[in-house]
Amino acid sequence: MEKFSVLRHDIIGGAFCPECGPTLIMNRKYGRWECSVCTKKCKKAHVEPLKDYALLISPTITMCELIRYLRMENSITIRKLLKELNIPSTGNT
């Protein structure tokens, strides 16, 4: 990020639609991600953004940062997603 002068706030978070491309962020509905344009549904659309975050920003993330990055409001759902990925955690946040 330093090499190309990319700032942290320049990184667009969210789960992107695999059909519409990286300009359209999917919404979380009923246990899956759904595109509001093409209506494609995906259960694992959050995985790639998490990999991107780990590579570009930091290998660790707090719940507050993750809520902002994935553009989700429900921390219970985020905890469930992380548990399904078997990602190690420390502390409460």
Side-chain angles (χ1 to χ4, degrees), residues 10-79:
D10 292 332
I11 304 294
I12 299 171
F16 296 103
C17 177
E19 297 294 321
C20 296
T23 58
L24 191 65
I25 297 171
M26 300 178 89
N27 299 310
R28 185 84 181 167
K29 293 182 180 179
Y30 308 112
R32 61 184 175 237
W33 298 92
E34 185 176 315
C35 179
S36 61
V37 174
C38 71
T39 67
K40 177 158 180 76
K41 295 169 182 64
C42 181
K43 285 195 172 251
K44 301 287 183 183
H46 58 283
V47 174
E48 289 304 314
L50 288 173
K51 289 179 184 177
D52 292 344
Y53 187 94
L55 291 170
L56 294 171
I57 298 171
S58 171
T60 61
I61 190 168
T62 66
M63 284 298 291
C64 187
E65 291 169 331
L66 189 54
I67 286 169
R68 277 193 302 259
Y69 185 68
L70 288 180
R71 299 178 181 203
M72 293 179 67
E73 296 176 10
N74 191 332
S75 61
I76 295 170
T77 301
I78 290 177
R79 288 179 205 272

